[in-house]
C-alpha cells in the first residue's frame, strides 16, 4: 500500500511494505522526544549543508523509543519513506528536516500537514534555525492570507506547528552545524 501526496511543490510517498523490515538505525531512548532530538541532532546539520531532507519514523519497542531515517535527494522535492506493515503499529510519530536556510523551510508545508491528518501521527520538524517543532492531528493551519504574509504560497495547508518544550518547559533546540570530533 503506497500513499502518495503531491501537493504544491513537494511530494511524499509513505510505503507500508510487507517486507523487508527497516533496519534499526538508532539506540533506544527513554522517550519519543529524546529519540526525535537524537535523530535531529545528527541529520539536521547534514540537511542544512547538503540541502537535502531527511525523514524517518519514531517507533516504540519494549517501552523505549528509536528512530529510522531515509535521505532524500539533494534539492529534490520528493521523498519516500518505507515502513514495514508489521512495524506500523509501533510507529508513534514521524520526523524530518527541511534542508538549507530558506524562509519557507521554517514552516510545515501543505504536504507535511496532509500526512499528519492522513496518518494521525505527530510530525516533528528540525530546520536551519535549530528549533524543533511539532505538528499534531487537529493543529491549526495557516489561512492563505497568513501564509502569503509569511512569504509562502497563498494556499491553505501550511502551518507554524508548536515549538517543542522539554519536561522543564524549556524550548528544545537541535544542532545546526556538523560537529567536528577530534580523534
Amino acid at each position: 500500500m503506497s500513499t502518495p501526496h503531491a501537493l504544491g511543490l513537494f511530494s511524499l510517498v509513505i510505503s507500508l511494505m510487507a517486507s523487508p523490515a527497516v533496519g534499526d538505525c538508532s539506540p533506544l531512548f527513554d522517550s519519543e522526544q529524546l529519540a526525535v532530538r537524537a535523530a535531529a541532532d545528527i541529520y539536521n546539520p547534514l540537511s542544512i549543508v547538503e540541502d537535502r531532507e531527511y525523514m524517518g519514523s519514531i517507533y516504540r519497542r519494549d517501552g523505549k523509543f528509536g528512530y529510522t531515517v531515509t535521505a532524500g535527494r539533494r534539492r529534490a522535492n520528493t521523498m519516500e519513506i518505507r515502513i514495514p506493515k508489521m512495524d506500523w503499529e509501533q510507529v508513534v510519530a514521524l520526523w524530518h528536516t527541511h534542508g538549507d536556510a530558506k524562509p519557507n523551510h521554517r514552516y510545515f508545508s501543505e504536504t507535511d500537514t496532509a500526512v499528519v491528518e492522513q496518518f494521525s501521527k505527530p510530525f516533528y520538524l528540525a530546520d536551519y534555525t535549530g528549533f524543533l517543532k511539532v505538528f499534531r492531528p487537529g493543529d491549526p493551519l495557516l489561512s492563505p492570507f497568513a501564509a502569503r504574509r509569511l512569504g509562502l504560497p497563498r494556499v491553505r495547508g501550511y502551518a507554524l506547528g508548536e515549538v517543542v518544550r522539554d519536561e522543564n518547559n524549556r524550548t528544545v533546540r537541535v544542532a545546526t552545524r556538523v560537529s567536528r570530533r577530534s580523534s
Side-chain angles (χ1 to χ4, degrees), residues 96 98 103-114 116-117 123 125 127 133-144 146-148 150 152-153 155-163:
H96 71 309
H98 262 183
N104 62 316
H105 286 177
R106 297 184 324 224
Y107 308 105
F108 288 89
S109 72
E110 71 276 21
T111 300
D112 298 341
T113 61
V116 170
E117 295 308 323
F123 205 0
L125 169 62
D127 66 29
K133 292 170 255 178
V134 63
F135 185 81
R136 293 182 179 92
D139 280 357
L141 300 174
L142 293 171
S143 70
R148 188 72 209 127
L150 293 171
L152 300 168
V155 296
R156 183 165 175 78
Y158 282 90
L160 300 175
E162 179 183 331
V163 175

Side-chain angles (χ1 to χ4, degrees), residues 7-70:
L7 304 169
L9 301 173
F10 183 82
S11 67
L12 170 68
V13 177
I14 295 181
S15 301
L16 299 180
M17 310 175 321
S19 62
V22 173
D24 294 340
C25 62
S26 79
L28 295 179
F29 300 89
D30 289 334
S31 72
E32 174 182 318
Q33 187 183 108
L34 289 174
V36 172
R37 288 171 74 175
D41 280 340
I42 293 169
Y43 295 100
N44 193 46
L46 295 174
S47 174
I48 295 165
V49 169
E50 298 170 353
D51 193 18
R52 174 193 319 260
E53 289 199 31
Y54 287 86
M55 182 180 170
S57 64
I58 302 297
Y59 61 88
R60 181 179 337 181
R61 180 173 298 142
D62 300 326
K64 299 281 188 175
F65 298 84
Y67 64 86
T68 64
V69 64
T70 300

Side-chain angles (χ1 to χ4, degrees), residues 62-126:
D62 300 326
K64 299 281 188 175
F65 298 84
Y67 64 86
T68 64
V69 64
T70 300
R73 286 182 284 167
R74 291 187 74 190
R75 297 181 194 91
N77 291 324
T78 61
M79 185 74 164
E80 182 172 354
I81 178 174
R82 296 173 187 256
I83 301 170
K85 283 183 187 178
M86 64 185 198
D87 292 343
W88 182 248
E89 291 302 314
Q90 281 80 36
V91 173
V92 296
L94 300 168
W95 70 274
H96 71 309
T97 63
H98 262 183
D100 68 2
K102 292 183 181 100
N104 62 316
H105 286 177
R106 297 184 324 224
Y107 308 105
F108 288 89
S109 72
E110 71 276 21
T111 300
D112 298 341
T113 61
V115 166
V116 170
E117 295 308 323
Q118 177 159 4
F119 293 104
S120 296
K121 307 274 185 197
F123 205 0
Y124 291 88
L125 169 62

